[in-house]
Amino acid sequence: MAMLGSINGVLMAGLDGDNAWRLKDYVARGGYVQLRRILENKLAQEEVIGEVKKSVLRGRGGAGFPTGLKWSFMPRSFPGDKYVVCNTDEGEPGTFKDRDIMRYNPHAVIEGMAIAAYAMGANRGYNYVHGEIWELYQRFEEALDEARAAGFIGQNILGSGFNFELFAHHGYGAYICGEETALLESIEGKKGQPRFKPPFPASFGLYGKPTTINNTETFAAIPFILKMSGEEYLNLGKPNNGGTKLFSVSGHVNRPGNYEVPLGTPFATLLEMCGGMRGGRKLKAVIPGGSSAPVLPADLIMDCTLDYDSISKAGSMLGSGAVIVMDETVCMVKALERLAYFYHEESCGQCTPCREGTAWMYKVVRRIENGQGKPDDLDLLNSVLGNIAGRTVCALGDAAAFPVQSFTKHFRSEFEYHIEHKTCLVPKDVQWAGSGFHRIPA
Amino acid sequence: MLEIEIDGKKAQVPDGSTVMDAAQQLGVYIPHFCYHKKLSIAASCRMCLVEVEKAPKPMPACATPVTNGMKVFTHSDLAIKAQKGVMEFLLINHPLDCPICDQGGECQLQDMAVGYGPMKSRFSEEKHVVFHKSVGPLISMEEMSRCIHCTRCVRFGQEVAGIMELGMANRNMHSEIMTFVGRSVDSELSGNMIDLCPVGALTSKPFRYSARTWELQRRKSVSPHDSVGANLVVQVKHDTVMRVLPRENEAVNECWISDKERFSYQALNSDERLSKPMIKQGGEWREVAWNVALDYVAHGLKDIAREHGGDALAALAAQSATVEELFLLNKVMRGLGSGNMDFRPRQSDFSADGKRAGTPWLGLRLAEIKDLDAALVIGSFLRKDHPLIAQRLRQAARKYTKVSLLSVSGDDPMINLHRQVTVAPGQLAAALGAIVKAAAELKGAAVPAGLEAVAVDADARAIAESLVAGDKRAVFLGNVATQSAAATQLHALAQELARLTGATLGFLGEGANTVGAHAAGALPGGANARQMFEQPRQGYVLFGVEPELDCANPQLALAALKEASLVVFMSAFKHAPALEYADVMLPIAPFSETAGTFVNIEGRVQSFNGVAKARGDARPAWKVLRVLGNVLDLAGFAYDSSEAVRDEALGKDKEFVAGLDNALNGVSIALPAAIAGLQRIADVPIHFADPLARRAPALQQTADATVPSARVCEQTLGELGLIAGALVKVRQGQGEAMLTLRADNGVPPGCVRVAAAHASTASLGEMFGSIFLERA
């Protein structure tokens, strides 16, 4: 099933049956009509971009940058190669929405990319697929073959004279390759390390050519925006937060999975759609936008609506829409240890604050978790993360700092308890009970 | 121009400048590790974070472009906090083993730690350990835990050396600098990575643990190894040369030197140094005092001149001899009535002598190479013959210069070449002729006489096209072209090509003082370097040359030397084979122990002083020759300084020598006839090329110093019915050598590549002559 639930579903609506992802079904759902309309009517590039701007579609990869604005940065009249690149390197812990878009609706991505390429005067595109979802990389290749055979991509598309070659490219599982410039390096066959910006990809991107990189969900939304008009799409959500968004809900809920709801939907509604808290336990905390978003305690998140502005006001980020729900059985120190390990492990090692700082933070959090914490460790952590955030080549440094900062801020007493008592505030058996494992190991 | 204010100081900087550029222009120091002016920007160490007005976060000065009206603060609270934070991160896993680190005292991290580091570490975890690596005889990577991941060494390989031999593997704090599995660092410029390394991760293997940097005196010198005349800092402890570093000179060597220049100093301290004058009497060598030796030499030379005439004497000098030495040696020979003086032992075609309009040179300044639109290098093992000129061409080619190479081997110069044409040495003139003809056709000019029958192929046309386009283009003749049997024809053809295309003609130059030797008038008035052995003489003076390794035809040279009644061997080294044919050995000081002058290939006069006292009884050769002139009662030997000699030879206070001119007059084009049978291609491997390099143990362990083999392309191997890997007998004239046969498709068909300048091939003949291969 594509979606466990949705309200006013757009991207993932009507995906019934095993062949929903195939070209035939997509066309039957009204697919490729927008591409055809644009090409046949020779719509002006500005018009397409204008429609996207009107929709206030904000980048679904995590940063929430307005897509129409990003597209307008491309030097459309620049002669020579230009690229559009789709970022399906979905590696953020908690996020699994692009995986399902690729699985159930890959042609929406292809059509969206073709429209984007048309709007920005690009003739080549790549879809960079996360290394761990190999079967979806293969499915996407199949979808590309279908689209190519039907003349929706390739040379002289639908007799319009517009050329757009689209390729799939799979990574090898490095989280950092989801950072857009590291992704470009990786496509170029180099080690995935972020580039320093400026220059930005719009002027110096893939192979040094102007390039626009968008998230899978962003591209997939494009055909629907053009179908329903930008204004209508915007009105699905709330002002400045257009459209619907996929939320990957994981953790201590009864029905974890992907949900498509309009931006601005109350968090409580989403929680309800997920069948509420597992075992009727009490909500403790939520990471609302993927592991790099600051954690919000229950009382704060319950007052939020799910959109960029509301979550941001509460001190976190909507990010990629990965909602990690934690109940009262969770030890926040242990949870942070796991997150700190992730960022330390996935740091590319290029720049000093991230390479050294993430390892240092992890070592300190691990020490606290293992009962070897020292009284000034929390101050140390805050000082170290302050030296990382905003000092690195890419945003991974910030992403590593936010969890540490927010966990130690909102759950400081739990950390202090750990340091003082060399053990957890939440008893081990309670932790195990909540973990979903049935047996407490000896 | 953009206006910027840094710490209250205002400056105008060109568009595209970074904050770091502007800071350097203003003399404001911003701490940095990964930034290096000659390398691409990495912006990864984050040490150069500064506060930029209106920017919410501190910005790296090295990578932040200046915008008009920008205000930068390098010492604000935000900047200092950022810099201190980075410093702390750099130090947490650094071993802090400064007391036993070779970099101690010249370590950027150490210096910066004093300025920005905390007194006490807040890091109480275990430090990260990185395993040592073995990457060859020159660079020590024993303590890689010291590495701060600035990637200067990696970028140097990619960008300057042209070959990426080091890379950063792995992720996060497990990132480490390493070679490809099982490989060593073999670039001829690799030693520069030691200089670039801001910490003690890459250190010099030969220098390791031999001195502390603060014990060393830094003295200026000039490289005796190639025609660039790289500026050196020679570091000396108790009159022993301990280490050689580049001395920055943007016009000459920028901030680089080749490994040969960096590590050849080991030879200066070698046991093979000749420490006392020696005379052979009754077949026995005897050490004698200088006055005895010089009396003996003076009498011997005078006797021969009296009995057989001055023409029975000849002198052959190395191109690494100084202007003063060459000038005085020539003066001594002329005083004895002999015009048989030469400094070109590897040359075989001297027919251009007397037809040159002036001193052959590069045709332009070294620094102008980067401005060329196109360049053609003819006959050169470019990367190994001229590492620093190759480096300049590589940088130029990375931008827009179209560099083409016409030579006798397919060796990769690690330059992004426009075209590479590889032909047999006998075909070099014809292949150049094709380019000349193509250029004539492109220009609509008459095809020069003698080239009517030449066929023009696509490569020739593409090269000609590159040379007619743009403002500045150059045609360079390399060592192979100079040493070729058709050297004069190649010169004439290159001149024709330059005339047709409007390109500049230049020579890359064989030795450190090729231009200086011409300028000092050390050219033969009588027999040249070949004739003096073809028609054997009674007496020879060998100055800094080792004939079996340095001559175009060692067989010829040795035969003549063995028959001579007096051979005076002037050298810094007790060269074992010379003990057989020499009669007198005079210990002269190498470049490090004498004052002197080299004139580099762009005509730049570079004088230097000795950096250490002469070893044993060795004496600066200009003094030896002065005394010899006096003992011989010759007029005009009353010099009291090397400067006086130089001024007489070159004129006073010259920055560049006069009379530089590559024109060749009165030579008509006549392509040489094709040669039947196998031809030899002899390269002079970089670390066998001169007496110093030959005696530097570390250089002799490098990949560039492997024992010569016979290299043949697979096609020719098949035709000969021989198998790669087997031992073969290689024969030239009366001499033969046993070498391993290797398949190398970079060797043109019908050719055998057998290196010169090595003991194992010293018995062979002409560098580019006929050769025979037989099953051993």
Side-chain angles (χ1 to χ4, degrees), chain B residues 660-693:
Chain B
L660 299 171
D661 193 339
N662 287 324
L664 185 64
N665 301 315
V667 177
S668 52
I669 292 171
L671 295 182
I675 305 163
L678 287 176
Q679 288 177 67
R680 178 181 177 190
I681 296 173
D683 55 321
V684 182
I686 183 167
H687 297 158
F688 300 149
D690 58 70
L692 285 172

mmCIF file of all heavy atoms in Angstrom, chain B residues 660-693:
data_model
loop_
_atom_site.group_PDB
_atom_site.id
_atom_site.type_symbol
_atom_site.label_atom_id
_atom_site.label_comp_id
_atom_site.label_asym_id
_atom_site.label_seq_id
_atom_site.Cartn_x
_atom_site.Cartn_y
_atom_site.Cartn_z
ATOM 1 N N LEU B 660 71.763 36.782 -26.687
ATOM 2 C CA LEU B 660 70.859 35.641 -26.799
ATOM 3 C C LEU B 660 70.162 35.696 -28.158
ATOM 4 O O LEU B 660 69.508 36.680 -28.485
ATOM 5 C CB LEU B 660 69.819 35.676 -25.679
ATOM 6 C CG LEU B 660 70.382 35.605 -24.262
ATOM 7 C CD1 LEU B 660 69.281 35.869 -23.236
ATOM 8 C CD2 LEU B 660 71.006 34.241 -24.013
ATOM 9 N N ASP B 661 70.320 34.665 -28.945
ATOM 10 C CA ASP B 661 69.720 34.661 -30.281
ATOM 11 C C ASP B 661 69.689 33.237 -30.804
ATOM 12 O O ASP B 661 70.716 32.568 -30.858
ATOM 13 C CB ASP B 661 70.540 35.562 -31.223
ATOM 14 C CG ASP B 661 69.795 35.842 -32.514
ATOM 15 O OD1 ASP B 661 68.869 35.070 -32.857
ATOM 16 O OD2 ASP B 661 70.149 36.843 -33.185
ATOM 17 N N ASN B 662 68.511 32.791 -31.165
ATOM 18 C CA ASN B 662 68.391 31.400 -31.625
ATOM 19 C C ASN B 662 68.477 31.262 -33.147
ATOM 20 O O ASN B 662 68.286 30.166 -33.674
ATOM 21 C CB ASN B 662 67.057 30.815 -31.155
ATOM 22 C CG ASN B 662 67.078 30.546 -29.662
ATOM 23 O OD1 ASN B 662 68.115 30.159 -29.120
ATOM 24 N ND2 ASN B 662 65.960 30.777 -28.999
ATOM 25 N N ALA B 663 68.745 32.349 -33.836
ATOM 26 C CA ALA B 663 68.731 32.263 -35.304
ATOM 27 C C ALA B 663 69.883 31.404 -35.817
ATOM 28 O O ALA B 663 70.968 31.346 -35.234
ATOM 29 C CB ALA B 663 68.814 33.664 -35.893
ATOM 30 N N LEU B 664 69.609 30.742 -36.902
ATOM 31 C CA LEU B 664 70.595 29.874 -37.548
ATOM 32 C C LEU B 664 70.685 30.351 -38.994
ATOM 33 O O LEU B 664 69.669 30.482 -39.670
ATOM 34 C CB LEU B 664 70.086 28.424 -37.500
ATOM 35 C CG LEU B 664 70.993 27.318 -38.000
ATOM 36 C CD1 LEU B 664 72.235 27.209 -37.132
ATOM 37 C CD2 LEU B 664 70.250 25.987 -37.995
ATOM 38 N N ASN B 665 71.909 30.637 -39.435
ATOM 39 C CA ASN B 665 72.050 31.203 -40.775
ATOM 40 C C ASN B 665 72.727 30.214 -41.710
ATOM 41 O O ASN B 665 73.645 29.488 -41.320
ATOM 42 C CB ASN B 665 72.877 32.496 -40.727
ATOM 43 C CG ASN B 665 72.221 33.512 -39.811
ATOM 44 O OD1 ASN B 665 71.013 33.721 -39.857
ATOM 45 N ND2 ASN B 665 73.029 34.115 -38.942
ATOM 46 N N GLY B 666 72.305 30.221 -42.949
ATOM 47 C CA GLY B 666 73.007 29.465 -43.992
ATOM 48 C C GLY B 666 72.853 27.964 -43.895
ATOM 49 O O GLY B 666 73.759 27.216 -44.277
ATOM 50 N N VAL B 667 71.737 27.486 -43.326
ATOM 51 C CA VAL B 667 71.497 26.033 -43.321
ATOM 52 C C VAL B 667 70.248 25.788 -44.168
ATOM 53 O O VAL B 667 69.185 26.346 -43.896
ATOM 54 C CB VAL B 667 71.271 25.492 -41.905
ATOM 55 C CG1 VAL B 667 70.941 23.999 -41.948
ATOM 56 C CG2 VAL B 667 72.488 25.740 -41.043
ATOM 57 N N SER B 668 70.381 25.002 -45.208
ATOM 58 C CA SER B 668 69.186 24.701 -45.997
ATOM 59 C C SER B 668 68.600 23.373 -45.543
ATOM 60 O O SER B 668 69.306 22.505 -45.022
ATOM 61 C CB SER B 668 69.516 24.679 -47.484
ATOM 62 O OG SER B 668 70.610 23.819 -47.687
ATOM 63 N N ILE B 669 67.291 23.245 -45.743
ATOM 64 C CA ILE B 669 66.601 22.056 -45.248
ATOM 65 C C ILE B 669 66.896 20.864 -46.154
ATOM 66 O O ILE B 669 66.740 20.936 -47.372
ATOM 67 C CB ILE B 669 65.087 22.331 -45.162
ATOM 68 C CG1 ILE B 669 64.846 23.355 -44.060
ATOM 69 C CG2 ILE B 669 64.309 21.052 -44.908
ATOM 70 C CD1 ILE B 669 63.440 23.885 -44.009
ATOM 71 N N ALA B 670 67.358 19.811 -45.571
ATOM 72 C CA ALA B 670 67.608 18.570 -46.312
ATOM 73 C C ALA B 670 67.349 17.432 -45.343
ATOM 74 O O ALA B 670 68.148 17.182 -44.439
ATOM 75 C CB ALA B 670 69.044 18.532 -46.822
ATOM 76 N N LEU B 671 66.202 16.791 -45.468
ATOM 77 C CA LEU B 671 65.840 15.750 -44.511
ATOM 78 C C LEU B 671 66.822 14.595 -44.600
ATOM 79 O O LEU B 671 67.196 14.182 -45.691
ATOM 80 C CB LEU B 671 64.411 15.260 -44.787
ATOM 81 C CG LEU B 671 63.311 16.290 -44.574
ATOM 82 C CD1 LEU B 671 61.948 15.661 -44.822
ATOM 83 C CD2 LEU B 671 63.356 16.863 -43.161
ATOM 84 N N PRO B 672 67.231 14.081 -43.445
ATOM 85 C CA PRO B 672 68.185 12.960 -43.471
ATOM 86 C C PRO B 672 67.528 11.721 -44.069
ATOM 87 O O PRO B 672 66.316 11.531 -43.965
ATOM 88 C CB PRO B 672 68.539 12.759 -41.997
ATOM 89 C CG PRO B 672 67.456 13.420 -41.231
ATOM 90 C CD PRO B 672 66.884 14.493 -42.086
ATOM 91 N N ALA B 673 68.356 10.885 -44.702
ATOM 92 C CA ALA B 673 67.853 9.644 -45.290
ATOM 93 C C ALA B 673 67.395 8.708 -44.183
ATOM 94 O O ALA B 673 67.901 8.765 -43.053
ATOM 95 C CB ALA B 673 68.939 8.994 -46.125
ATOM 96 N N ALA B 674 66.418 7.879 -44.501
ATOM 97 C CA ALA B 674 65.932 6.914 -43.518
ATOM 98 C C ALA B 674 67.055 5.933 -43.164
ATOM 99 O O ALA B 674 67.903 5.619 -43.995
ATOM 100 C CB ALA B 674 64.736 6.174 -44.079
ATOM 101 N N ILE B 675 67.034 5.465 -41.913
ATOM 102 C CA ILE B 675 68.074 4.547 -41.449
ATOM 103 C C ILE B 675 67.490 3.141 -41.399
ATOM 104 O O ILE B 675 66.378 2.934 -40.901
ATOM 105 C CB ILE B 675 68.569 4.957 -40.046
ATOM 106 C CG1 ILE B 675 69.021 6.422 -40.068
ATOM 107 C CG2 ILE B 675 69.700 4.050 -39.590
ATOM 108 C CD1 ILE B 675 69.137 7.044 -38.694
ATOM 109 N N ALA B 676 68.249 2.185 -41.924
ATOM 110 C CA ALA B 676 67.776 0.799 -41.903
ATOM 111 C C ALA B 676 68.152 0.143 -40.580
ATOM 112 O O ALA B 676 69.111 0.544 -39.932
ATOM 113 C CB ALA B 676 68.386 0.039 -43.069
ATOM 114 N N GLY B 677 67.404 -0.848 -40.183
ATOM 115 C CA GLY B 677 67.738 -1.613 -38.996
ATOM 116 C C GLY B 677 67.243 -0.963 -37.706
ATOM 117 O O GLY B 677 66.625 0.094 -37.724
ATOM 118 N N LEU B 678 67.518 -1.638 -36.598
ATOM 119 C CA LEU B 678 67.064 -1.138 -35.294
ATOM 120 C C LEU B 678 67.837 0.110 -34.887
ATOM 121 O O LEU B 678 69.040 0.198 -35.106
ATOM 122 C CB LEU B 678 67.267 -2.217 -34.232
ATOM 123 C CG LEU B 678 66.323 -3.421 -34.235
ATOM 124 C CD1 LEU B 678 66.762 -4.408 -33.163
ATOM 125 C CD2 LEU B 678 64.893 -2.964 -33.986
ATOM 126 N N GLN B 679 67.117 1.046 -34.304
ATOM 127 C CA GLN B 679 67.781 2.248 -33.804
ATOM 128 C C GLN B 679 67.671 2.310 -32.284
ATOM 129 O O GLN B 679 66.671 1.899 -31.723
ATOM 130 C CB GLN B 679 67.076 3.495 -34.338
ATOM 131 C CG GLN B 679 67.295 3.768 -35.791
ATOM 132 C CD GLN B 679 66.470 4.994 -36.188
ATOM 133 O OE1 GLN B 679 66.742 6.097 -35.750
ATOM 134 N NE2 GLN B 679 65.459 4.784 -37.011
ATOM 135 N N ARG B 680 68.695 2.891 -31.678
ATOM 136 C CA ARG B 680 68.659 3.052 -30.228
ATOM 137 C C ARG B 680 68.016 4.389 -29.871
ATOM 138 O O ARG B 680 68.209 5.399 -30.559
ATOM 139 C CB ARG B 680 70.084 3.023 -29.670
ATOM 140 C CG ARG B 680 70.151 3.226 -28.164
ATOM 141 C CD ARG B 680 71.580 3.205 -27.649
ATOM 142 N NE ARG B 680 71.619 3.477 -26.209
ATOM 143 C CZ ARG B 680 72.746 3.704 -25.534
ATOM 144 N NH1 ARG B 680 73.923 3.681 -26.149
ATOM 145 N NH2 ARG B 680 72.709 3.945 -24.238
ATOM 146 N N ILE B 681 67.241 4.359 -28.809
ATOM 147 C CA ILE B 681 66.750 5.592 -28.196
ATOM 148 C C ILE B 681 67.339 5.630 -26.796
ATOM 149 O O ILE B 681 67.065 4.749 -25.989
ATOM 150 C CB ILE B 681 65.209 5.597 -28.095
ATOM 151 C CG1 ILE B 681 64.598 5.582 -29.498
ATOM 152 C CG2 ILE B 681 64.723 6.793 -27.302
ATOM 153 C CD1 ILE B 681 63.092 5.412 -29.496
ATOM 154 N N ALA B 682 68.184 6.617 -26.554
ATOM 155 C CA ALA B 682 68.808 6.674 -25.233
ATOM 156 C C ALA B 682 68.285 7.874 -24.463
ATOM 157 O O ALA B 682 68.512 9.012 -24.861
ATOM 158 C CB ALA B 682 70.319 6.744 -25.385
ATOM 159 N N ASP B 683 67.545 7.601 -23.399
ATOM 160 C CA ASP B 683 67.198 8.687 -22.495
ATOM 161 C C ASP B 683 68.301 8.787 -21.461
ATOM 162 O O ASP B 683 69.086 7.850 -21.280
ATOM 163 C CB ASP B 683 65.843 8.426 -21.831
ATOM 164 C CG ASP B 683 65.778 7.099 -21.112
ATOM 165 O OD1 ASP B 683 66.343 6.114 -21.666
ATOM 166 O OD2 ASP B 683 65.180 7.016 -20.024
ATOM 167 N N VAL B 684 68.370 9.926 -20.828
ATOM 168 C CA VAL B 684 69.305 10.087 -19.713
ATOM 169 C C VAL B 684 68.445 10.129 -18.465
ATOM 170 O O VAL B 684 67.881 11.156 -18.124
ATOM 171 C CB VAL B 684 70.117 11.389 -19.868
ATOM 172 C CG1 VAL B 684 71.110 11.524 -18.729
ATOM 173 C CG2 VAL B 684 70.821 11.423 -21.207
ATOM 174 N N PRO B 685 68.296 8.992 -17.775
ATOM 175 C CA PRO B 685 67.383 8.960 -16.620
ATOM 176 C C PRO B 685 67.742 10.045 -15.608
ATOM 177 O O PRO B 685 68.917 10.299 -15.351
ATOM 178 C CB PRO B 685 67.587 7.561 -16.047
ATOM 179 C CG PRO B 685 68.075 6.760 -17.202
ATOM 180 C CD PRO B 685 68.927 7.695 -18.000
ATOM 181 N N ILE B 686 66.705 10.656 -15.080
ATOM 182 C CA ILE B 686 66.890 11.868 -14.284
ATOM 183 C C ILE B 686 67.915 11.704 -13.156
ATOM 184 O O ILE B 686 68.728 12.584 -12.911
ATOM 185 C CB ILE B 686 65.513 12.357 -13.750
ATOM 186 C CG1 ILE B 686 65.645 13.664 -12.976
ATOM 187 C CG2 ILE B 686 64.795 11.307 -12.922
ATOM 188 C CD1 ILE B 686 64.313 14.349 -12.704
ATOM 189 N N HIS B 687 67.914 10.553 -12.520
ATOM 190 C CA HIS B 687 68.819 10.405 -11.375
ATOM 191 C C HIS B 687 70.154 9.764 -11.727
ATOM 192 O O HIS B 687 70.948 9.453 -10.846
ATOM 193 C CB HIS B 687 68.105 9.643 -10.245
ATOM 194 C CG HIS B 687 66.915 10.380 -9.719
ATOM 195 N ND1 HIS B 687 65.885 9.777 -9.064
ATOM 196 C CD2 HIS B 687 66.579 11.694 -9.786
ATOM 197 C CE1 HIS B 687 64.962 10.684 -8.743
ATOM 198 N NE2 HIS B 687 65.366 11.855 -9.177
ATOM 199 N N PHE B 688 70.400 9.563 -13.035
ATOM 200 C CA PHE B 688 71.739 9.159 -13.479
ATOM 201 C C PHE B 688 72.414 10.294 -14.227
ATOM 202 O O PHE B 688 73.508 10.144 -14.757
ATOM 203 C CB PHE B 688 71.658 7.966 -14.452
ATOM 204 C CG PHE B 688 71.016 6.733 -13.871
ATOM 205 C CD1 PHE B 688 70.301 5.868 -14.676
ATOM 206 C CD2 PHE B 688 71.161 6.421 -12.530
ATOM 207 C CE1 PHE B 688 69.710 4.727 -14.162
ATOM 208 C CE2 PHE B 688 70.570 5.277 -12.006
ATOM 209 C CZ PHE B 688 69.838 4.430 -12.815
ATOM 210 N N ALA B 689 71.732 11.437 -14.330
ATOM 211 C CA ALA B 689 72.142 12.437 -15.300
ATOM 212 C C ALA B 689 73.422 13.175 -14.943
ATOM 213 O O ALA B 689 74.078 13.708 -15.819
ATOM 214 C CB ALA B 689 71.012 13.434 -15.530
ATOM 215 N N ASP B 690 73.765 13.253 -13.685
ATOM 216 C CA ASP B 690 74.995 13.980 -13.357
ATOM 217 C C ASP B 690 75.695 13.338 -12.168
ATOM 218 O O ASP B 690 75.104 12.552 -11.436
ATOM 219 C CB ASP B 690 74.682 15.462 -13.107
ATOM 220 C CG ASP B 690 73.684 15.651 -11.993
ATOM 221 O OD1 ASP B 690 74.034 15.410 -10.823
ATOM 222 O OD2 ASP B 690 72.534 16.025 -12.305
ATOM 223 N N PRO B 691 76.977 13.690 -11.995
ATOM 224 C CA PRO B 691 77.776 13.008 -10.956
ATOM 225 C C PRO B 691 77.180 13.116 -9.555
ATOM 226 O O PRO B 691 77.339 12.197 -8.751
ATOM 227 C CB PRO B 691 79.118 13.720 -11.034
ATOM 228 C CG PRO B 691 79.200 14.222 -12.432
ATOM 229 C CD PRO B 691 77.806 14.590 -12.812
ATOM 230 N N LEU B 692 76.494 14.199 -9.246
ATOM 231 C CA LEU B 692 75.916 14.327 -7.904
ATOM 232 C C LEU B 692 74.759 13.347 -7.719
ATOM 233 O O LEU B 692 74.721 12.583 -6.750
ATOM 234 C CB LEU B 692 75.408 15.755 -7.681
ATOM 235 C CG LEU B 692 76.452 16.837 -7.433
ATOM 236 C CD1 LEU B 692 75.774 18.199 -7.429
ATOM 237 C CD2 LEU B 692 77.172 16.600 -6.117
ATOM 238 N N ALA B 693 73.822 13.358 -8.662
ATOM 239 C CA ALA B 693 72.655 12.488 -8.533
ATOM 240 C C ALA B 693 73.070 11.027 -8.470
ATOM 241 O O ALA B 693 72.500 10.234 -7.717
ATOM 242 C CB ALA B 693 71.708 12.724 -9.705
#
